[in-house]
Amino acid sequence: MKRYSVFAIAREAMRYHMGWERAWASPEPKPAYDAIIVGAGGHGLATAYYLGKNFGITNVAILEKGWLGGGNTGRNTTIIRSNYLQDPSAAIYEKSRSLYETLSQDLNYNVMFSPRGVMMLAQTHHEVRGYLRTQHANALQGVATEFITPQRVKELCPILNIDGPRYPVLGALWQARGGTGRHDAVAWGYARACSAMGMHIIQNCEVKGVRSENGQVTGVDTTKGFISTKKLGMVVAGHSGQLAEMAGFRLPIEAVALQALVSEPIKPCMDVVVMANTVHGYMSQSDKGEMVIGGGTDGFNNYTQRGSFHHIEETLRALVETFPIISRLKMLRQWGGIVDMTGDRSPLISKTPLGNCFINCGWGTGGFKAIPGSGWAMAELMAKGEPGPLAEAFNMWRFKDGQFIDESVAAGVAH
Ligand code: FAD
Ligand code: PYC
């Protein structure tokens, strides 16, 4: 693989950009691999990447039923932060955020990580108490967050109305090194690096069945035939319940649509990310100038990649009272993704009842920020067969044992 660099751009400019290589290969599947990952979203691709980089396992296939990054990874609003409450969450989200800091250099692919700062507004006394608690927990966990005053909120984001008609801004939980990244680029960067290590990314290849013998996984039936493997990683977000059923077990997961929308592009007016969870809406501005806006999850299970129409109205009503300048903005596009929700709003990175079959899911409304850390932890689980310190608490049996990792506040999206 040729490296991307300023010299490569100059060289290609001299020859009409005719010499760029395809970023990743599109091979036909081999009959067998040492490891198969189902799902070429960010988490599946990152798992494959760290299997190769950290453990030298490169005879790997990543099977994707559609196109890579076409699931939630390419549909999210790209907020990156690690201001969670519980210790296991702070550890994995902060690991992830710190990997994001150098991911472009690591992958030799610009993922446009932009640590512009994320604020979560406190608009009730209950929220003030909750965010103060998170800030104290973060201080003990080594995660840099602070609780800021309404005046500081206004300084950081002048277009924000801190005297809202329903809920005044009483302060905010601020993470200065939180921010955004380019969602497609994260998937593309990992894909390119995996392909360069010789891994096979096989798109348009749906897994239809999981085969096993004596309680151990032996391979998968796909739309491109049977492929055998010694280790299987299921990393399919909203479709996790279906994959688990193929492997003969059930998961504590529900699938619902979560939606987002973007406006027409406007001049720069906001250089931080704001989440307003009481009125429910969140917003940032993309590099193109569009306002990137997120709504809540549907109140019923479904597999639509749209989301209910009434959420658009509710979200925009909340954002117009928070940012009055957007009241006449036109919206360009709206879409949804199928998110995988657990009862405690924390993920699963876990062994399963089937030997050598591992699951990574349950990131729900908040897994874009977790892609590098999750891939790191899942690769360790798949390579060693046992979870490392980052993954240990996120096993699927915590729901049987009552060891919940409650992040319903930190998840930050209405559900
Ligand atoms: P996906 O990207 O969905 O990848 C799973 C892949 O598995 C898909 O490509 C799918 O086609 C494939 N697949 C499924 N079944 C099969 C099969 N049988 N065979 C082969 N392949 C299969 N998170 C944040 O941190 N910050 C945010 O701001 C944020 N905003 C969001 C906004 C929206 C509207 C949505 C929908 C999500 C948001 N999220 C956010 C959550 C985040 O997008 C997800 O948690 C994350 O992208 C999940 O990545 P993934 O790789 O697990 O799943
Ligand atoms: O997890 O920060 C988040 C988030 C914001 C919008 C959707 N998820």
Side-chain angles (χ1 to χ4, degrees):
M1 179 183 72
K2 287 191 194 139
R3 281 186 67 75
Y4 293 153
S5 68
V6 65
F7 304 108
I9 293 171
R11 186 189 62 230
E12 290 306 322
M14 305 287 281
R15 53 180 182 181
Y16 302 100
H17 294 280
M18 300 302 284
W20 294 114
E21 294 172 337
R22 283 193 178 276
W24 55 83
S26 296
E28 285 303 308
K30 295 192 295 187
Y33 294 90
D34 291 341
I36 286 181
I37 314 265
V38 190
H43 289 260
L45 291 161
T47 300
Y49 175 71
Y50 295 113
L51 268 177
K53 181 175 167 165
N54 294 354
F55 299 99
I57 301 172
T58 55
N59 183 20
V60 174
I62 305 122
L63 309 181
E64 168 55 50
K65 75 172 178 171
W67 66 96
L68 74 83
N72 295 341
T73 298
R75 294 164 182 273
N76 77 90
T77 45
T78 80
I79 298 175
I80 297 168
R81 58 187 173 86
S82 57
N83 53 356
Y84 283 65
L85 178 66
Q86 311 291 351
D87 290 347
S89 327
I92 195 160
Y93 287 106
E94 178 59 11
K95 169 79 180 171
S96 197
R97 198 204 55 74
S98 67
L99 287 169
Y100 263 119
E101 294 259 5
T102 51
L103 195 59
S104 295
Q105 291 80 1
D106 187 19
L107 297 179
N108 179 231
Y109 200 99
N110 186 1
V111 301
M112 296 167 73
F113 175 57
S114 164
R116 60 185 68 182
V118 175
M119 67 171 78
M120 296 169 91
L121 301 182
Q123 293 181 280
T124 62
H125 290 290
H126 181 73
E127 255 183 328
V128 171
R129 277 198 300 274
Y131 288 148
L132 282 170
R133 183 180 178 213
T134 303
Q135 182 221 315
H136 294 315
N138 289 167
L140 294 171
Q141 292 151 346
V143 176
T145 60
E146 58 182 308
F147 191 80
I148 57 175
T149 62
Q151 290 67 37
R152 181 84 180 116
V153 167
K154 186 77 183 164
E155 274 165 30
L156 287 163
C157 187
I159 66 167
L160 211 153
N161 174 19
I162 58 170
D163 305 310
R166 288 188 294 158
Y167 297 96
V169 172
L170 303 173
L173 183 64
W174 169 244
Q175 185 167 25
R177 294 300 294 177
T180 59
R182 171 80 198 273
H183 48 11
D184 305 307
V186 172
W188 297 338
Y190 276 120
R192 177 169 168 266
C194 287
S195 187
M197 285 191 272
M199 296 180 182
H200 284 185
I201 301 166
I202 303 162
Q203 303 183 74
N204 299 312
C205 181
E206 180 172 358
V207 170
K208 301 288 244 181
V210 175
R211 288 199 207 171
S212 61
E213 261 175 45
N214 304 322
Q216 300 290 315
V217 75
T218 54
V220 286
D221 290 300
T222 79
T223 45
K224 293 187 186 248
F226 174 73
I227 312 175
S228 104
T229 190
K230 298 182 197 123
K231 290 181 188 227
L232 181 65
M234 298 173 169
V235 197
V236 293
H239 292 91
S240 298
Q242 295 175 348
L243 261 291
E245 200 177 349
M246 293 176 203
F249 57 91
R250 295 191 68 198
L251 285 175
I253 287 273
E254 292 183 285
V256 283
L258 173 71
Q259 65 179 295
L261 52 160
V262 291
S263 74
E264 60 187 329
I266 53 174
K267 290 206 168 141
C269 63
M270 181 182 182
D271 61 2
V272 294
V273 180
V274 176
M275 303 178 72
N277 298 331
T278 291
V279 293
H280 203 267
Y282 55 94
M283 194 166 89
S284 64
Q285 189 166 23
S286 76
D287 295 337
K288 280 190 284 185
E290 302 156 332
M291 305 314 287
V292 180
I293 291 172
T297 47
D298 280 354
F300 51 93
N301 299 135
N302 66 83
Y303 285 87
T304 67
Q305 286 178 316
R306 272 194 314 271
S308 300
F309 194 69
H310 71 91
H311 272 303
I312 301 176
E313 195 182 4
E314 284 167 13
T315 302
L316 291 179
R317 188 191 302 138
L319 289 177
V320 166
E321 72 182 64
T322 313
F323 306 97
I325 72 156
I326 68 161
S327 66
R328 296 173 65 190
L329 210 55
K330 295 187 182 63
M331 295 298 139
L332 277 192
R333 293 190 305 279
Q334 178 266 2
W335 66 89
I338 308 160
V339 295
D340 39 340
M341 311 290 287
T342 59
D344 61 3
R345 305 302 183 236
S346 288
L348 305 175
I349 309 174
S350 182
K351 293 163 82 169
T352 72
L354 180 61
N356 280 325
C357 173
F358 306 92
I359 185 101
N360 178 332
C361 65
W363 295 98
T365 62
F368 175 70
K369 64 177 81 66
I371 285 172
S374 152
W376 186 284
M378 180 72 174
E380 183 172 13
L381 173 63
M382 286 188 69
K384 297 182 177 165
E386 293 295 332
L390 282 178
E392 208 166 11
F394 296 107
N395 69 78
M396 63 187 277
W397 290 278
R398 72 176 186 272
F399 291 94
K400 187 166 134 290
D401 303 339
Q403 308 273 345
F404 306 123
I405 307 168
D406 182 2
E407 291 293 1
S408 44
V409 173
V413 173
H415 35 55

